[in-house]
Amino acid sequence: MIEQYVLDLQEIDETQVAVVGGKGAHLGGLSRIEGIRVPAGFCVTTDAFRRIRAEAPSIDDRLDQLSRVDPDDREAIRTLSAQIRRAIEEVAIPGDVAAAITRALAQLGEQAAYAVRSSATAEDLPTASFAGQQDTYLNVVGPTAILQHVSRCWASLFTERAVTYRQRNGIDHRTAHMAVVVQQMVFPHAAGILFTADPVTGNRKVATVDAGFGLGEALVSGLVNPDVFTVRHGEVVAKTIAAKQRAVHALPAGGTQEVAIDAQRQEQPALTDGQAVQLVQLGRRIEAHFGRPQDIEWCLVDEGFQIVQSRPITTLFPIPETDDQENHVYVSVGHQQMMTDPMKPLGLSMWQLTAMVPMHEAGGRLFVDVTRRLASPASRAALLDLVGRGDPLVRDALETVLDHDDFVPSLPDAAPGGPPAGGAPAPIETDPALVTELIERSQTSIAALERDIRTKSGPELFDFLLEAFEEHKRVLSDPLSIRAIMAGMEATWWLNDKLGEWLGEKNAADTLTLSAPDNVTSEMGLALLDVADVIRPHAEVVAFLQGVEYAEDAAFLDELAKLAGGTEARDAIETYLDRYGMRCVGEIDITRPRWRERPTTLVPVILDNVRNFEPGAAERRFEQGRQKAQKKEQDVLSRLRALPDGDRKADETKRMIDRVRTFIGYREYPKYGIVSRYFVYKQALMEEAERLVQAGVLPEKEDVFYLTFQELHDVVRSNQVDDQTVQQRKDAFRSYEALTPPRVLTSDGEAVTGAYRRDDVPAGALIGLPVSAGTIEGRARVILDMADADLEAGDILVTTFTDPSWSPLFVGIAGLVTEVGGLMTHGAVIAREYGLPAVVGVEQATRLIRDGQRIRVHGTGGYIEILP
């Protein structure tokens, strides 16, 4: 039918993306909002595009080739995309399609001027903007020219940048289709862009208006700097008026041209303050209709504002949902846990169900609401002191929010008499037997969990797990465990503060804690050196491991046993997996594959250890650290005794050294216990997922990762799943991967990163938090995935974050730089254990430091120099 090739904008709404593309659907939605004026026009639907595709079968062959091309192969993409565009433009538009377009033009006025704009089905979506990926043509006059430009818009689905964008975002080229918007031209006095949320800070209460003279093309193309108006609560709170020397105007016969602006007009504002406020009011109406902040293109003509485009701002970090209108301040959990990647819904809900405090989800990450703790002076001071010791950037970000007038409510301190909430736990004796007892308690509880869960399945399993989560929290909140952790941390702080004051020593605890006992995470790294010792003598085993592919998990351990020395190698790896196989990168997300599930993850690290170390390295390494710590202790104590009141100072320091060495290793154990439990939970849940696959409820087991724990419980009960929900969650997760979570987030959407307020570093140095003393120079290895590690002795690891699973790499490096972390996060603790100079919390370190560059890490001073 002819009607399906063309739809008037008035017939369209935002549900019809598959028919008219993202831009067309948004324009249709806009045209339905009361008080919003949209230039008249129509859409050439995706059915017309499919007709064109069918007329050029050679396109399918080239799409097959394109799907096999690496996203980084610019030359191949350029060649193939040009061939596809040419093939589309050479197809004659079928008569019935051309007739439908010219009929629609006749109704609007054949000789009027039009904007002809691409509208792809994978464009202007809540999770993928695609802004500027395809083509727009302005001031097109006459049916012949319009048909020609419609054809060009179809072809622009395959511009090099659009193809690359889809490749990188995992979007199949065959699923992307192109509609075309044909809209009456507006010839404005001024035009520009309105963001209904601040695109830099994310603040949803602040709108920014960019404005220039003539068509908006001058701003979009970067031809001129715009006037910028910042509007908050119905008034202009800031503005910058630019010297606008050029503008883009329409030509009478079609097309556009740049023109110079009269000197006396150049610095006149393109809008009055009142017009900027009025425009933002229109923007708020549009935002309310679409349910999310918008990036809006507008034009100002004699009779007021016309809106020519609106798309979601996809770069904003989402805000946790609340059921009130109060102000809230949230602190990132991922920055404390050294895992800032997004988590899948099952992982999020499991962490929420087993956490000790309420946690709020946004953008696939978890946040803790600290508003009440910031509201009263005493709890605010305690919170700022605690987070400041761990991560100064979080403290600075919180102080930035507190500086905003009246954002955080003021509450009185708690009434005297009762203990303060979260007050200091009572001290405990410095007794290694306490640590042994705590570890035994945890092991006993996990053994009971493993025993009892074996008989549970179906809905009964979920009831059992809810009880298990209570036991999980009971073990985590064991007062003795918390006191042991705090004892180690407080002793560290005491030593650093007092030895700094008395001896001028910076970060003395870093050396004093080398090779501390009972640290399960540092033991994990050393144990993999022992595995390498078993493998190293067997050349056939080493050669086999060098050929192991990442995907061969199921078979490679069985294959190993067939080689000379292979049985010993397999047994060594199996023994390691029995103790540490529940670990993995991003281990707080239960959905991440564990080493036991994907043992090939460890192969590159084992091979690095085989190559870079001599036999017996683990024992030697630990003993060297212990002796170095002992020597430091003797040195510090003898220097203290030479001071006034030296015996008292030395005795106090000796007590604190004993205390830190007794308890600091235990700091890592509760996380090991959590992850051990998680693996038990996961194995049971994956058996349920397998049953759902066998019953035909789910196509694949991993689909359960996109359901919350409660939703999975419901699916197991009902044997029914909403496939659409699973697909939406997959799309959302993919979009969250492109977002960088802030350390601090407000309910206004403001993402606050914080800054280091320091002037004691060399010019050009990258500033971070010093967490492990010493200075080291070496080759930077920028590694974003542990599976890609290929390290030589003396290399410095540069990465976004390191959770405990990275510690096997620490034995083979000379220093550490991370973008995320604090004084007591896992990477910092293990760096100190191994004596690695380390600086964490270095903003954008993986972008500012290139792989292979020589750098100098100042682990005591907290900065990195990039060397020539």
Side-chain angles (χ1 to χ4, degrees):
M1 288 170 56
I2 289 174
E3 289 74 23
Q4 70 190 108
Y5 295 130
V6 168
L7 288 172
D8 190 275
L9 284 182
Q10 298 287 337
E11 301 176 76
I12 297 165
D13 64 30
E14 54 269 36
T15 64
Q16 293 168 274
V17 172
V19 180
V20 295
K23 193 175 295 170
H26 267 74
L27 281 167
L30 280 168
S31 65
R32 291 163 177 257
I33 305 172
E34 190 178 343
I36 302 299
R37 298 179 62 239
V38 178
F42 59 88
C43 278
V44 183
T45 68
T46 52
D47 285 348
F49 177 73
R50 287 189 187 88
R51 278 285 301 276
I52 298 301
R53 279 268 304 268
E55 302 275 335
S58 65
I59 293 172
D60 285 336
D61 296 337
R62 293 195 176 107
L63 286 178
D64 286 340
Q65 293 175 51
L66 202 52
S67 67
R68 294 191 291 271
V69 169
D70 187 300
D72 294 321
D73 189 344
R74 301 276 302 272
E75 192 54 46
I77 288 174
R78 186 178 296 125
T79 303
L80 282 166
S81 58
Q83 289 172 354
I84 295 170
R85 286 199 307 278
R86 195 157 52 246
I88 290 172
E89 287 192 44
E90 286 171 355
V91 173
I93 299 179
D96 51 348
V97 176
I101 295 170
T102 52
R103 191 179 301 113
L105 281 171
Q107 289 176 344
L108 290 173
E110 273 192 5
Q111 293 310 309
Y114 291 88
V116 182
R117 319 176 87 144
S118 309
S119 180
T121 52
E123 176 182 43
D124 291 352
L125 307 180
T127 58
S129 170
F130 266 71
Q133 298 295 334
Q134 284 95 27
D135 291 349
T136 287
Y137 301 97
L138 299 178
N139 202 32
V140 183
V141 179
T144 304
I146 285 169
L147 288 170
Q148 183 184 26
H149 285 85
V150 166
S151 188
R152 286 182 182 169
C153 284
W154 286 328
S156 78
L157 187 64
F158 296 98
T159 61
E160 184 185 341
R161 63 184 182 273
V163 166
T164 303
Y165 189 94
R166 287 196 294 274
Q167 299 265 90
R168 291 191 189 286
N169 284 274
I171 298 169
D172 184 348
H173 299 295
R174 292 174 183 280
T175 65
H177 296 96
M178 182 66 85
V180 182
V181 175
V182 180
Q183 216 175 355
Q184 284 183 341
M185 271 295 290
V186 175
F187 302 104
H189 310 305
I193 299 161
L194 159 64
F195 295 98
T196 65
D198 188 317
V200 177
T201 67
N203 195 320
R204 305 322 197 252
K205 299 283 177 66
V206 174
T208 62
V209 178
D210 290 4
F213 295 124
L215 293 167
E217 198 64 18
L219 303 189
V220 175
S221 64
L223 181 64
V224 296
N225 289 326
D227 297 340
V228 180
F229 298 81
T230 303
V231 179
R232 184 186 179 104
H233 299 318
E235 63 176 319
V236 174
V237 293
K239 63 181 170 183
T240 305
I241 306 304
K244 300 170 287 297
Q245 296 172 337
R246 317 283 295 167
V248 174
H249 284 177
L251 292 168
T256 61
Q257 71 172 14
E258 288 178 29
V259 297
I261 295 175
D262 294 342
Q264 66 267 30
R265 280 192 70 216
Q266 287 179 7
E267 296 195 25
Q268 287 181 6
L271 294 178
T272 65
D273 286 9
Q275 287 170 329
V277 169
Q278 182 193 353
L279 179 60
V280 169
Q281 287 169 346
L282 295 175
R284 293 281 177 234
R285 203 175 291 177
I286 294 167
E287 178 183 71
H289 176 84
F290 289 118
R292 63 185 65 238
Q294 297 287 301
D295 164 358
I296 297 164
E297 291 182 26
W298 56 268
C299 294
L300 177 63
V301 290
D302 291 333
E303 64 274 27
F305 289 104
Q306 296 212 28
I307 305 300
V308 294
Q309 192 169 331
S310 184
R311 64 171 72 89
I313 308 175
T314 58
T315 55
L316 298 176
F317 200 85
I319 308 171
E321 289 182 13
T322 59
D323 54 6
D324 61 42
Q325 298 299 310
E326 305 293 320
N327 289 347
H328 295 272
V329 182
Y330 303 98
V331 171
S332 162
V333 172
H335 285 82
Q336 317 303 312
Q337 291 293 335
M338 297 289 277
M339 212 297 272
T340 54
D341 289 349
M343 296 166 68
K344 296 187 177 82
L346 185 62
L348 289 164
S349 64
M350 292 288 278
W351 192 263
Q352 287 171 307
L353 286 165
T354 52
M356 301 309 299
V357 294
M359 292 187 177
H360 307 267
E361 184 272 332
R365 279 78 169 188
L366 291 170
F367 295 85
V368 173
D369 188 341
V370 295
T371 319
R372 290 196 69 79
R373 292 187 66 184
L374 288 173
S376 67
S379 61
R380 178 192 312 143
L383 176 66
L384 292 175
D385 182 57
L386 184 66
V387 299
R389 284 184 178 276
D391 185 343
L393 290 177
V394 174
R395 177 177 183 139
D396 188 76
L398 289 173
E399 287 175 335
T400 300
V401 174
L402 288 166
D403 286 342
H404 295 349
D405 291 341
D406 301 327
F407 186 82
V408 176
S410 288
L411 297 174
D413 286 330
I428 56 174
E429 292 177 60
T430 303
D431 181 0
L434 291 173
V435 173
T436 305
E437 180 191 338
L438 284 166
I439 291 172
E440 285 174 356
R441 281 188 200 177
S442 176
Q443 288 174 339
T444 301
S445 176
I446 291 167
L449 171 68
E450 289 174 328
R451 182 190 66 237
D452 296 343
I453 205 169
R454 286 188 194 124
T455 58
K456 306 296 187 290
S457 64
E460 186 190 8
L461 169 67
F462 289 83
D463 295 335
F464 171 82
L465 282 173
L466 288 171
E467 291 177 21
F469 297 162
E470 293 309 307
E471 167 67 3
H472 179 126
K473 289 194 276 191
R474 189 194 66 74
V475 172
L476 266 187
S477 61
D478 182 337
L480 184 63
S481 176
I482 293 167
R483 282 153 62 193
I485 292 168
M486 290 307 298
M489 290 167 63
E490 286 165 352
T492 302
W493 297 335
W494 190 97
L495 287 165
N496 282 338
D497 290 347
K498 291 297 185 184
L499 295 181
E501 178 190 333
W502 294 337
L503 298 176
E505 285 263 357
K506 260 184 136 179
N507 301 344
D510 294 0
T511 308
L512 293 166
T513 52
L514 287 169
S515 299
D518 298 312
N519 187 319
V520 69
T521 308
S522 62
E523 287 167 3
M524 179 170 72
L526 296 174
L528 208 58
L529 288 175
D530 292 335
V531 173
D533 285 355
V534 174
I535 288 167
R536 192 179 291 106
H538 304 293
E540 202 178 339
V541 171
V542 173
F544 170 77
L545 291 178
Q546 286 168 338
V548 164
E549 293 291 329
Y550 190 56
E552 291 177 2
D553 288 300
F556 103 94
L557 286 171
D558 294 333
E559 292 296 315
L560 198 57
K562 299 173 185 175
L563 308 172
T567 303
E568 297 97 301
R570 185 190 63 184
D571 290 349
I573 294 172
E574 286 282 5
T575 301
Y576 186 86
L577 291 172
D578 286 344
R579 180 140 169 77
Y580 304 111
M582 77 295 289
R583 309 219 84 150
C584 67
V585 173
E587 61 191 11
I588 69 170
D589 182 352
I590 197 172
T591 72
R592 292 286 190 104
R594 310 282 135 178
W595 289 344
R596 171 54 81 184
E597 295 169 311
R598 194 171 287 172
T600 48
T601 308
L602 294 171
V603 169
V605 192
I606 294 170
L607 289 170
D608 281 348
N609 289 348
V610 167
R611 186 175 69 245
N612 295 333
F613 292 93
E614 297 294 320
E619 191 176 345
R620 227 173 15 256
R621 182 81 175 261
F622 187 82
E623 184 55 26
Q624 284 167 354
R626 198 184 64 76
Q627 289 181 14
K628 198 172 174 184
Q630 203 168 27
K631 188 178 172 192
K632 182 70 173 178
E633 177 183 328
Q634 291 163 356
D635 169 60
V636 163
L637 295 178
S638 66
R639 286 162 62 202
L640 285 171
R641 288 201 172 90
L643 299 175
D645 198 18
D647 285 347
R648 180 188 63 80
K649 289 172 178 170
D651 289 348
E652 279 187 38
T653 301
K654 171 61 176 161
R655 279 199 299 277
M656 284 300 177
I657 292 172
D658 289 348
R659 197 161 177 78
V660 82
R661 290 193 67 79
T662 298
F663 292 117
I664 201 65
Y666 179 71
R667 162 78 181 78
E668 291 291 297
Y669 198 85
K671 181 78 172 283
Y672 175 78
I674 291 171
V675 176
S676 298
R677 288 173 184 281
Y678 266 28
F679 192 39
V680 179
Y681 305 153
K682 182 179 186 179
Q683 287 171 302
L685 290 173
M686 293 318 287
E687 286 178 21
E688 291 302 314
E690 182 59 50
R691 276 193 278 276
L692 291 169
V693 171
Q694 297 298 329
V697 178
L698 288 173
E700 49 190 50
K701 283 195 303 186
E702 284 73 19
D703 283 353
V704 300
F705 295 162
Y706 296 93
L707 302 170
T708 65
F709 178 82
Q710 187 56 56
E711 287 167 345
L712 179 53
H713 189 179
D714 293 341
V715 169
V716 166
R717 257 201 308 254
S718 66
N719 263 5
Q720 290 181 316
V721 70
D722 182 350
D723 296 332
Q724 197 174 355
T725 295
V726 171
Q727 189 54 52
Q728 285 171 348
R729 299 268 177 83
K730 287 180 179 180
D731 293 342
F733 179 77
R734 192 180 298 119
S735 75
Y736 296 154
E737 289 182 298
L739 299 176
T740 301
R743 283 176 166 80
V744 170
L745 180 67
T746 74
S747 50
D748 282 355
E750 187 174 1
V752 194
T753 52
Y756 293 106
R757 313 290 175 181
R758 293 177 56 188
D759 54 11
D760 59 343
V761 298
L766 307 181
I767 302 174
L769 179 66
V771 295
S772 186
T775 301
I776 193 72
E777 217 174 276
R779 178 179 69 154
R781 293 311 316 272
V782 180
I783 296 171
L784 302 180
D785 185 337
M786 187 175 150
D788 298 332
D790 180 14
L791 296 162
E792 301 288 345
D795 283 348
I796 297 168
L797 174 62
V798 180
T799 190
T800 46
F801 59 80
T802 61
D803 59 10
S805 69
W806 286 71
S807 66
L809 294 183
F810 284 23
V811 297
I813 58 176
L816 174 69
V817 178
T818 68
E819 294 180 349
V820 175
L823 195 62
M824 284 295 166
T825 46
H826 306 279
V829 172
I830 305 309
R832 290 194 290 274
E833 281 274 318
Y834 288 165
L836 300 174
V839 181
V840 302
V842 182
E843 290 283 283
Q844 299 193 7
T846 58
R847 296 187 186 93
L848 297 172
I849 299 170
R850 289 197 311 276
D851 187 50
Q853 273 185 321
R854 285 195 70 74
I855 62 173
R856 186 181 297 129
V857 177
H858 295 263
T860 309
Y863 61 93
I864 296 100
E865 292 179 282
I866 298 176
L867 303 175

